[in-house]
Amino acid sequence: MPLNRRTFLGRSAVAGAGVALAGGVGAGSASASESRGHGHGRPAKRYSFTVMGTTDLHGNVFNWDYFTDKEFDDKAHNDVGLAKISTLVNQIREDRGRRNTLLIDAGDTIQGTQLSYYYAKIDPITARRGPVHPMAQAMNKIGYDAAALGNHEFNYGIPVLRKFEEQCDFPLLGANALDAKTLRPAFAPYVIKRVRTPHGRDVRVAVLGLTNPGIAIWDKANVGGKMVFPGLEEQAAKWVPKLRSMGADVVIVSAHSGSSGTSSYGDQLPYVENAAGLVAEQVPGIDAILVGHAHSEIPEYFVTNKETGKQVVLSEPLKWGQRLTLFDFDLVWDKGRWVVEKVGASVLNSNTVAEDPRITSMLGDEHRKVVAYVNQVIGTSVAAMSTVDAPWKDEPVIDLINLVQAETVKAALAGGEYAALPVLSQAACFSRTAAIPAGEVTIKDAAGLYPFENTLEARLLTGAQLKDYLEFSARYYVQTAAGAPVDTSKLTNAENIPDYNYDVVSGVSYDIDIAKPAGSRIVGLSFEGAPVDPAAQFVFAVNNYRASGGGNFPHVPGSKQLWANSDEIRNTIIGWVKAKGSVDPAEFASVDWRLTREGVPVF
């Protein structure tokens, strides 16, 4: 049965803890074995079972890219989507025996594709007699046992998330998502599944769900005053002993948190963003952690618990349904209870199988509706524009984003006390394959420039703060000596900085000297032909991710907010193109920044 907040809180008030859900997994001998053990001459009872895991599905059901309107493909020929995952899951259940398997997810489920956007905004699941979310339909059909909450679950607001929760036949877990007033769990913290064995007592498998503390920053507009998100380590330390005391033989954590121990929001919260490794190291009693959030592929990674010396296995399957993690548990019956003797992890690649026709046929109508929606023509473009070179050159397509943002902010501030200040704008290259074609421009073309659900804000910055901001952004380039060859494939993403955390700023002009060390690269920063005065004031058009601390850029999170919009930036771009009718790069494209070495342009 679906576990909603009311039934959970009612039960937890009685139990003083969380919820144990029995059932769902039956007896099976497929992976049970017996061997001599314990020196008593009697065979030791042994049992094996498998826990499958996905994460960061981001609204992918079909192996389809709605921004290019064709089958998904990348350089590694990965495939995406729950329809592929379903086939892999079916194979593992066939191989191990369905009764000897569980299936869990580590979050970021309902945001990321135009399919998920459509059912949040265009034909919303929250409408009276609204549709059932395609991700809920697919995950119910596949038979998930539990899913942790991801940070992107909160992007569309709590009502959409609650409706999605209601539509799922499995619990959404978040032990560290607390009601802001009562500090009690706002979602089920855990679920306990019973796996039947041929040897008497069931194996009790506890799945503890942990989400990302960054939600408090990234989705402040949706969760502020309603929910708080304490650190993963402290909440795991609270719940794991409870689960063990309730008789859990196996404890698995599904954590929407990477394993690196780093944070992208700096010191704005006292918690770590990517804390899965720390949880394994600091909290005794955990057998395995399904890792999410970081969009990395980690087939198997062992962390030693500091207190017990025990090895904890971590695994992170690649995003969007590109991989399926398998945790294989070997248990032995010892002193009246099941004990984990051995656990390992591996991943399966979804590009090795066909899509499950049960899933694709079930959601065919939804898919076709969304394809029709994204192919609506909204205007024309005089010339083709692309992001292919945008990570190292000032390209017209990024200028377009900045133009729309700056014009939107100017219009919003018109007639107010900040109307006379110059408006600057930041933008990043989110995808190196986004393009606006010459000729007809569709929703998918415009939306492809901005695949995230970010909204627009206006903040107040000084010239000195702007310089710091640009210096921080320019860390993205690998230091390259003057005269040394420049290979664009090795020029960017220094310190593993992703493309979306490299910002360019329009409205000013500047050079980035990549021969210099990070922190001293911005040269000739000027506004309207004159050097920028460190004390000058500027209005900064910036997305809410950056404004709330995403990427840990300096000054903006603490700066004065002049205006904020609730509409996604991509919708603003779509509306702008519709209103203009025709887009002509000649009207707005200009080279305001360039890479140099000792004054000589690199390109």
Side-chain angles (χ1 to χ4, degrees):
M1 63 172 267
L3 187 66
N4 64 34
R5 184 166 174 271
R6 200 178 306 113
T7 56
F8 164 64
L9 291 179
R11 291 185 196 179
S12 68
V14 175
V19 178
L21 285 190
V25 186
S29 57
S31 41
S33 64
E34 296 196 3
S35 64
R36 303 274 164 192
H38 305 285
H40 301 303
R42 287 200 312 274
K45 294 173 183 173
R46 285 192 158 78
Y47 175 71
S48 300
F49 74 102
T50 297
V51 177
M52 299 174 278
T54 53
T55 190
D56 296 275
L57 293 167
H58 283 288
N60 285 281
V61 173
F62 296 83
N63 185 38
W64 193 261
D65 185 340
Y66 293 95
F67 292 128
T68 60
D69 199 24
K70 57 184 188 232
E71 192 172 294
F72 177 88
D73 198 20
D74 62 12
K75 283 179 186 165
H77 301 300
N78 288 302
D79 286 346
V80 299
L82 276 168
K84 291 259 179 178
I85 290 294
S86 185
T87 302
L88 290 175
V89 167
N90 292 340
Q91 287 180 356
I92 295 302
R93 285 173 175 159
E94 181 75 24
D95 179 57
R96 317 277 161 96
R98 175 164 186 141
R99 295 156 182 249
N100 307 309
T101 65
L102 294 171
L103 175 60
I104 63 175
D105 182 81
D108 276 5
T109 305
I110 59 169
Q111 174 279 338
T113 61
Q114 287 290 282
L115 180 75
S116 51
Y117 177 80
Y118 188 88
Y119 287 98
K121 293 284 192 176
I122 308 301
D123 185 10
I125 59 171
T126 46
R128 194 162 169 265
R129 297 200 181 108
V132 177
H133 200 291
M135 294 301 285
Q137 290 191 58
M139 293 172 86
N140 289 343
K141 187 80 169 173
I142 295 166
Y144 273 78
D145 293 288
L149 293 163
N151 53 287
H152 284 286
E153 259 63 87
F154 295 85
N155 285 173
Y156 296 119
I158 292 170
V160 168
L161 174 52
R162 286 295 185 199
K163 189 65 181 180
F164 175 70
E165 179 188 28
E166 193 184 298
Q167 292 178 343
C168 291
D169 294 343
F170 51 91
L172 300 185
L173 307 177
N176 61 329
L178 310 181
D179 181 280
K181 292 183 180 65
T182 65
L183 296 185
R184 293 179 60 182
F187 294 86
Y190 65 85
V191 64
I192 293 179
K193 305 294 288 189
R194 287 176 179 270
V195 182
R196 250 176 241 147
T197 78
H199 303 300
R201 205 187 71 141
D202 299 347
V203 178
R204 284 174 282 207
V205 182
V207 181
L208 177 69
L210 295 168
T211 192
N212 206 289
I215 296 164
I217 286 177
W218 305 321
D219 263 308
K220 191 176 177 183
N222 289 327
V223 300
K226 296 172 186 165
M227 292 185 194
V228 292
F229 302 87
L232 285 85
E233 308 98 304
E234 70 168 69
Q235 293 300 302
K238 173 184 167 182
W239 285 103
V240 172
K242 284 186 182 179
L243 296 171
R244 289 292 183 185
S245 71
M246 290 164 64
D249 302 299
V250 178
V251 174
I252 300 165
V253 174
S254 184
H256 194 75
S257 180
S259 63
S260 63
T262 60
S263 285
S264 69
Y265 45 69
D267 56 5
Q268 294 176 76
L269 284 176
Y271 313 121
V272 178
E273 177 183 349
N274 294 303
L278 298 173
V279 170
E281 187 181 89
Q282 295 174 19
V283 181
I286 297 167
D287 296 298
I289 301 181
L290 177 65
V291 177
H293 183 62
H295 291 199
S296 303
E297 182 176 347
I298 306 172
E300 182 183 61
Y301 173 53
F302 287 96
V303 173
T304 304
N305 184 268
K306 280 183 172 173
E307 192 173 315
T308 63
K310 187 184 150 189
Q311 295 267 291
V312 183
V313 67
L314 282 68
S315 180
E316 181 175 7
L318 200 57
K319 65 185 186 295
W320 307 346
Q322 294 177 34
R323 303 287 183 277
L324 176 71
T325 278
L326 305 180
F327 290 108
D328 289 310
F329 290 87
D330 294 330
L331 275 58
V332 63
W333 183 260
D334 187 33
K335 294 173 185 159
R337 58 186 290 261
W338 288 108
V339 177
V340 175
E341 194 172 46
K342 185 174 157 232
V343 55
S346 57
V347 296
L348 299 178
N349 192 331
S350 67
N351 73 6
T352 60
V353 295
E355 292 183 310
D356 183 346
R358 293 182 317 148
I359 305 299
T360 53
S361 61
M362 178 178 74
L363 292 166
D365 286 348
E366 286 85 343
H367 175 66
R368 285 184 286 274
K369 270 186 199 171
V370 175
V371 168
Y373 163 73
V374 300
N375 281 292
Q376 289 176 42
V377 175
I378 53 171
T380 59
S381 178
V382 171
M385 296 179 278
S386 155
T387 56
V388 170
D389 295 329
W392 49 85
K393 285 184 187 170
D394 188 345
E395 290 288 292
V397 74
I398 305 296
D399 292 340
L400 174 62
I401 297 171
N402 274 325
L403 171 71
V404 172
Q405 292 182 165
E407 283 193 1
T408 303
V409 166
K410 274 177 196 162
L413 298 180
E417 66 174 303
Y418 300 100
L421 290 180
V423 178
L424 313 180
S425 177
Q426 64 77 225
C429 174
F430 293 123
S431 160
R432 297 191 183 194
T433 57
I436 297 289
E440 290 187 340
V441 178
T442 62
I443 283 177
K444 78 172 188 288
D445 299 325
L449 299 182
Y450 225 104
F452 297 107
E453 267 77 28
N454 296 351
T455 57
L456 188 60
E457 296 192 16
R459 297 285 184 126
L460 192 62
L461 286 190
T462 66
Q465 289 173 329
L466 174 67
K467 173 94 170 0
D468 287 349
Y469 189 98
L470 290 169
E471 287 287 9
F472 184 85
S473 186
R475 299 173 311 133
Y476 171 75
Y477 294 106
V478 174
Q479 189 172 356
T480 312
V486 175
D487 177 355
T488 55
S489 70
K490 294 172 184 164
L491 178 64
T492 62
N493 308 100
E495 301 174 42
N496 293 318
I497 296 166
D499 292 348
Y500 63 76
N501 274 340
Y502 169 62
D503 285 0
V504 301
V505 174
S506 73
V508 288
S509 58
Y510 55 96
D511 289 349
I512 302 171
D513 189 335
I514 58 171
K516 292 183 176 173
S520 56
R521 291 178 168 174
I522 302 300
V523 181
L525 178 60
S526 62
F527 173 71
E528 292 184 344
V532 166
D533 179 353
Q537 288 193 313
F538 296 94
V539 174
F540 195 46
V542 59
N543 71 47
N544 69 307
Y545 174 76
R546 196 68 81 230
S548 61
N552 201 23
F553 277 64
H555 305 305
V556 174
S559 64
K560 183 178 176 68
Q561 186 190 73
L562 308 180
W563 172 82
N565 191 8
S566 61
D567 203 17
E568 287 95 351
I569 291 168
R570 65 167 163 223
N571 276 351
T572 307
I573 296 169
I574 289 165
W576 187 92
V577 174
K578 273 183 177 173
K580 288 280 285 186
S582 177
V583 178
D584 184 356
E587 293 175 3
F588 56 81
S590 60
V591 178
D592 297 317
W593 65 274
R594 59 184 184 166
L595 301 186
T596 60
R597 289 182 293 182
E598 295 176 0
V600 179
V602 175
F603 299 107

